[in-house]
Amino acid sequence: MSSRVLRKLGLQGEKELNCLGDDGSDTEADFSSSSGAKKKQLNINRYDLLNQQSHSESEVKEDDDHETAGSLNAQEGAIDLKDATRRKKKKKKKKPCKIPSNTRSSEDNIEDEVERSVREVNELLGEMQEVGPAHYSEASTMSPNARKSVLSVDHRTLNPNNELRRIFGSKIIQNEQVKKRGRNRGHLRSTWLVSPKENWPQIGKPGLSMKLVETKNGIHYFTYEHSLNYQQVQMRFLEAVESLNPDFIVGIINTHPYHVDALLQLSDLCRLSDDLALAAELVQRALYCLECAFHPSFSVTLGNCRLDYRLQQNRSLYIALFKHMLFIGSRACYRTALEFCKLILSLDPEGDPLAIVLALDFYALRSQEYEWLIRIANDWEPSRNLSQLPHFAYSVAMAQFQLGDVEQAHILLQKALIMFPGVLIPLTEKCNVQTDSRITSSPFFKNAQLTQSKSLTQLELLYVARSYHLWKESELMPWLESNVHQVVDRVEARDPLVLEWEANRQKRYPNTPRNILRHIILSDIKDIPILMNEELQVPVLNFDPLPPTDSVDLYTRPVRTRLYESDSTLSIFLRSLMPNFNIIQVTSDEPGAAEEGGEGSGVDLRRSVASLLDAMRDLLSNIHMSDVPGDGDIDDDPDSDEGRP
């Protein structure tokens, strides 16, 4: 039989199979006989083709061509049919073997014996009592695990936009972000502390890195490292600060957009000029650079990473976090600010170089974290004596009152009024509340600030200036007034606690610690005096206020000699017309540009002329006839200038 006939037979068989498949049958065509399989087979008599009329060779060729194409299509259809039938078949699943319930392992027998022995010991010696929170609060020291739980940070709460969505709604915040979104978005690394903006330049390699120093008892100690290039830029920055010219700092940021100290210094200048948005953005950029340099093992959420404040290169992270916390708090994102307080405190909980505990209570009350505030006050009282601070004495009482424990709140508030009576009069004045004549005439409250140290008065005024908004609630003022009357009764009855704390206020709080002074300087709250001792009479730099006495400095402040050198009479004359002219003056105001020669004198002359023109414009715009000097005064200046060497 020819191959053409066989192909024709195969084509007809496949067509019939397709028809059967379309009808929904699950049978397969099998032309070979198989003894074991029970399948329907097509009954085709191959000898019937011999009775058909033979075709010519041309017809045979045409049939071969058509049949070849048809057979290929038929084979593809058969393959698809087989795949479909295979997918329809369901595989049998093996039943899971049942484990008899009465079989027990040897480990269960061992556990039963251990439980039986423990039960017998408990019957002989009695049940062991569990240690609760009350027993833990009486401990003399804090374990690292307990401190970790108190200072642990949720990274989702570090983004102020999440809190703003909860306050104002997600649609409003999303619309604001869409408006600020630009087309040419750079590929910036996503961080937890700040959200990088689209207009920020690429960070590249700024020269900052972090190194793991050691690990003790599960606590990791890190330190920042500066590259050689970063050290050179840092020296230029210190010289720019000494020059008192902000243009030099701007020039450093233009060439090095992620220099941390320059960003912090320029942020303070923007804040002084009331450009708070730009000031906050510069601090965020500094934090972004610092976070990009984090060590892979450095975690901001666990609370087990430490950074030594004595090292000069580590202080930038403290300062940047503190300033960022203040800007976030000014946007009413109090929960986010509280999380940043925890982060700052976790970097050095024992030393607390920025006295962040003075702000913990305010943000905890504002964010309604009353239970957390009471918990940290109880846990840290044995080692830190937080109740000796006016902030915690009044804030813990307010937290108890907000939670509904009125009796305990009465006890704590009366104790706070007896310990720190100097808070009451400034607080009522800030809240614009007229107190009873009995209270104002009481010498216990009236003369409280006169009989105590200035450092304690400074702490009380700091608390009043920051937290007086909390006392403006309608329920708190009557509660405060009723307890004040009870305290006056106890004072008149000569309560022993009153006499004890009169002596304590005279002995304690002799001087303001350095970390509290740093806190006051960085907070920049009005009406708060900064009490500087004779030992602390040093220049205060905003990017590093009041370094520790045992500071490990990587850089030294440049000492510039102020000598008067000039070989140009015209330059001397133009200098003398400036209001800030001084005979002991640096020849060049630009750092590193004090070179001898005509080039330095020319630059200095052009700067003097430009400054002179600005001064003349101000003089002409603000001139008054009564302020015109006399002829004698005008003639004296040129004569005195000509006589100078």
Side-chain angles (χ1 to χ4, degrees):
M1 190 177 293
S2 64
S3 61
R4 180 179 62 82
V5 176
L6 292 177
R7 286 196 299 270
K8 188 174 182 180
L9 285 174
L11 178 61
Q12 292 177 355
E14 294 295 336
K15 288 182 179 179
E16 292 179 4
L17 281 174
N18 290 333
C19 295
L20 291 173
D22 295 336
D23 293 338
S25 62
D26 295 337
T27 59
E28 295 182 358
D30 189 5
F31 294 103
S32 61
S33 60
S34 59
S35 60
K38 295 181 179 180
K39 297 181 181 179
K40 295 182 180 180
Q41 297 181 356
L42 297 176
N43 296 323
I44 300 174
N45 189 1
R46 300 178 182 178
Y47 294 98
D48 292 340
L49 296 175
L50 298 176
N51 298 327
Q52 297 178 2
Q53 186 178 0
S54 61
H55 302 280
S56 61
E57 294 180 1
S58 61
E59 292 176 353
V60 170
K61 290 181 180 180
E62 292 177 358
D63 292 337
D64 290 342
D65 296 335
H66 292 292
E67 289 169 4
T68 302
S71 63
L72 293 175
N73 295 331
Q75 290 176 2
E76 293 177 359
I79 293 172
D80 296 336
L81 178 62
K82 291 180 180 180
D83 293 336
T85 54
R86 288 174 184 174
R87 286 194 297 268
K88 289 181 181 179
K89 290 181 180 180
K90 297 181 180 179
K91 296 181 180 180
K92 296 182 180 180
K93 297 181 180 180
K94 296 182 180 180
K95 296 182 180 180
C97 298
K98 294 183 179 180
I99 301 175
S101 59
N102 55 358
T103 59
R104 299 183 63 184
S105 62
S106 60
E107 295 180 357
D108 296 336
N109 297 330
I110 294 174
E111 291 179 358
D112 292 341
E113 293 178 359
V114 172
E115 292 178 358
R116 190 182 305 109
S117 61
V118 170
R119 194 181 304 109
E120 293 176 357
V121 172
N122 290 335
E123 291 177 357
L124 295 175
L125 302 178
E127 296 289 339
M128 184 176 62
Q129 297 180 357
E130 296 182 357
V131 179
H135 296 82
Y136 175 74
S137 62
E138 297 176 357
S140 59
T141 57
M142 292 179 298
S143 63
N145 294 330
R147 184 179 296 148
K148 171 186 173 182
S149 62
V150 173
L151 299 180
S152 60
V153 178
D154 187 3
H155 69 89
R156 293 171 296 180
T157 58
L158 293 175
N159 189 356
N161 292 328
N162 295 334
E163 188 171 1
L164 291 175
R165 290 190 189 97
R166 188 173 65 252
I167 297 174
F168 301 104
S170 59
K171 292 183 179 180
I172 298 177
I173 303 301
Q174 186 176 2
N175 293 334
E176 292 294 331
Q177 292 178 353
V178 169
K179 291 179 181 179
K180 296 179 181 179
R181 186 175 299 169
R183 295 182 179 179
N184 298 326
R185 182 174 182 179
H187 299 283
L188 296 175
R189 174 183 173 184
S190 60
T191 54
W192 282 357
L193 299 181
V194 294
S195 299
K197 297 186 178 181
E198 299 169 356
N199 58 349
W200 289 2
Q202 295 294 328
I203 187 169
K205 295 181 179 179
L208 277 177
S209 61
M210 182 179 283
K211 182 181 70 173
L212 177 62
V213 179
E214 59 180 353
T215 301
K216 292 182 179 180
N217 300 325
I219 304 299
H220 307 287
Y221 296 88
F222 297 88
T223 182
Y224 275 102
E225 290 184 340
H226 293 174
S227 64
L228 183 60
N229 186 20
Y230 194 91
Q231 293 179 11
Q232 295 175 357
V233 179
Q234 183 72 14
M235 292 304 300
R236 288 178 52 195
F237 166 74
L238 294 177
E239 293 176 356
V241 172
E242 290 294 328
S243 67
L244 302 178
N245 192 345
D247 294 337
F248 297 153
I249 301 176
V250 175
I252 293 175
I253 294 178
N254 290 333
T255 55
H256 303 278
Y258 286 100
H259 187 266
V260 177
D261 289 341
L263 291 171
L264 296 178
Q265 187 71 16
L266 187 59
S267 174
D268 288 333
L269 296 176
C270 295
R271 181 178 54 83
L272 293 176
S273 61
D274 295 333
D275 192 355
L276 299 181
L278 182 57
E281 183 178 349
L282 292 174
V283 173
Q284 292 176 10
R285 192 191 295 185
L287 266 182
Y288 175 71
C289 178
L290 290 168
E291 186 176 1
C292 289
F294 279 175
H295 191 272
S297 302
F298 189 88
S299 175
V300 298
T301 59
L302 299 179
N304 60 349
C305 298
R306 303 290 183 264
L307 210 64
D308 193 355
Y309 191 81
R310 295 175 301 173
L311 300 179
Q312 190 178 17
Q313 61 271 22
N314 292 341
R315 298 171 199 160
S316 299
L317 181 61
Y318 284 90
I319 305 300
L321 288 173
F322 193 94
K323 292 179 180 294
H324 186 58
M325 176 200 68
L326 294 179
F327 283 119
I328 289 176
S330 63
R331 298 172 58 187
C333 298
Y334 301 114
R335 177 59 191 280
T336 307
L338 177 62
E339 298 300 320
F340 275 97
C341 286
K342 296 179 186 178
L343 176 57
I344 297 172
L345 187 58
S346 67
L347 296 177
D348 190 359
E350 288 80 11
D352 192 11
L354 298 183
I356 201 65
V357 293
L358 301 180
L360 274 178
D361 59 306
F362 170 73
Y363 291 117
L365 292 175
R366 274 296 194 179
S367 58
Q368 299 180 358
E369 293 290 328
Y370 307 122
E371 296 179 355
W372 180 87
L373 179 61
I374 296 173
R375 179 186 177 188
I376 192 174
N378 294 331
D379 292 351
W380 287 45
E381 176 62 25
S383 60
R384 298 292 296 272
N385 294 324
L386 295 181
S387 62
Q388 308 297 319
L389 296 173
H391 303 72
F392 269 85
Y394 282 89
S395 297
V396 173
M398 184 184 294
Q400 293 285 3
F401 181 80
Q402 296 290 353
L403 290 176
D405 193 354
V406 181
E407 295 181 359
Q408 184 67 18
H410 288 332
I411 296 173
L412 294 177
L413 182 58
Q414 292 179 20
K415 184 178 179 181
L417 289 170
I418 293 174
M419 293 169 61
F420 309 104
V423 174
L424 181 63
I425 301 300
L427 180 61
T428 54
E429 292 177 355
K430 275 284 188 180
C431 296
N432 297 325
V433 176
Q434 294 182 357
T435 58
D436 191 1
S437 59
R438 182 190 179 194
I439 299 174
T440 55
S441 61
S442 175
F444 181 74
F445 293 105
K446 184 178 180 180
N447 302 326
Q449 294 185 357
L450 300 177
T451 59
Q452 63 187 13
S453 62
K454 294 182 179 180
S455 59
L456 179 57
T457 303
Q458 189 180 36
L459 288 176
E460 293 174 348
L461 294 178
L462 178 62
Y463 169 72
V464 172
R466 177 174 284 162
S467 304
Y468 74 94
H469 294 284
L470 299 172
W471 292 93
K472 289 187 176 182
E473 296 184 10
S474 58
E475 299 178 354
L476 293 179
M477 272 301 169
W479 170 59
L480 176 63
E481 184 179 0
S482 62
N483 283 277
V484 168
H485 283 287
Q486 294 182 10
V487 169
V488 173
D489 295 337
R490 296 175 64 177
V491 170
E492 294 176 353
R494 305 297 293 174
D495 193 301
L497 184 62
V498 176
L499 300 177
E500 178 184 355
W501 271 97
E502 284 182 357
N504 291 337
R505 285 194 299 272
Q506 296 177 358
K507 296 178 181 179
R508 299 178 182 177
Y509 315 100
N511 296 320
T512 305
R514 189 181 287 256
N515 59 343
I516 295 180
L517 290 176
R518 291 193 201 104
H519 182 94
I520 296 174
I521 292 171
L522 292 174
S523 299
D524 193 20
I525 300 176
K526 296 180 180 180
D527 302 331
I528 303 299
I530 301 177
L531 304 176
M532 303 288 287
N533 301 330
E534 295 180 357
E535 300 177 356
L536 301 178
Q537 296 296 333
V538 294
V540 178
L541 302 176
N542 292 328
F543 64 92
D544 188 12
L546 299 179
T549 55
D550 55 349
S551 174
V552 181
D553 294 337
L554 184 62
Y555 306 96
T556 56
R557 295 180 58 185
V559 179
R560 304 184 62 188
T561 58
R562 297 181 176 272
L563 299 176
Y564 180 74
E565 297 177 0
S566 179
D567 53 353
S568 175
T569 306
L570 180 60
S571 176
I572 298 173
F573 173 74
L574 293 175
R575 284 172 179 270
S576 64
L577 297 178
M578 299 298 297
N580 58 349
F581 175 76
N582 188 4
I583 191 64
I584 305 175
Q585 188 176 5
V586 185
T587 57
S588 177
D589 294 335
E590 186 176 359
E595 299 177 357
E596 296 181 358
E599 183 179 358
S601 300
V603 173
D604 194 14
L605 178 61
R606 287 192 296 270
R607 186 179 295 110
S608 300
V609 171
S611 301
L612 177 61
L613 292 176
D614 294 337
M616 290 298 295
R617 292 191 189 97
D618 295 338
L619 179 62
L620 292 176
S621 60
N622 299 324
I623 192 170
H624 298 283
M625 295 302 296
S626 59
D627 297 333
V628 176
D631 295 335
D633 297 333
I634 297 175
D635 295 334
D636 291 341
D637 290 339
D639 296 338
S640 60
D641 292 335
E642 291 177 358
R644 292 175 183 171

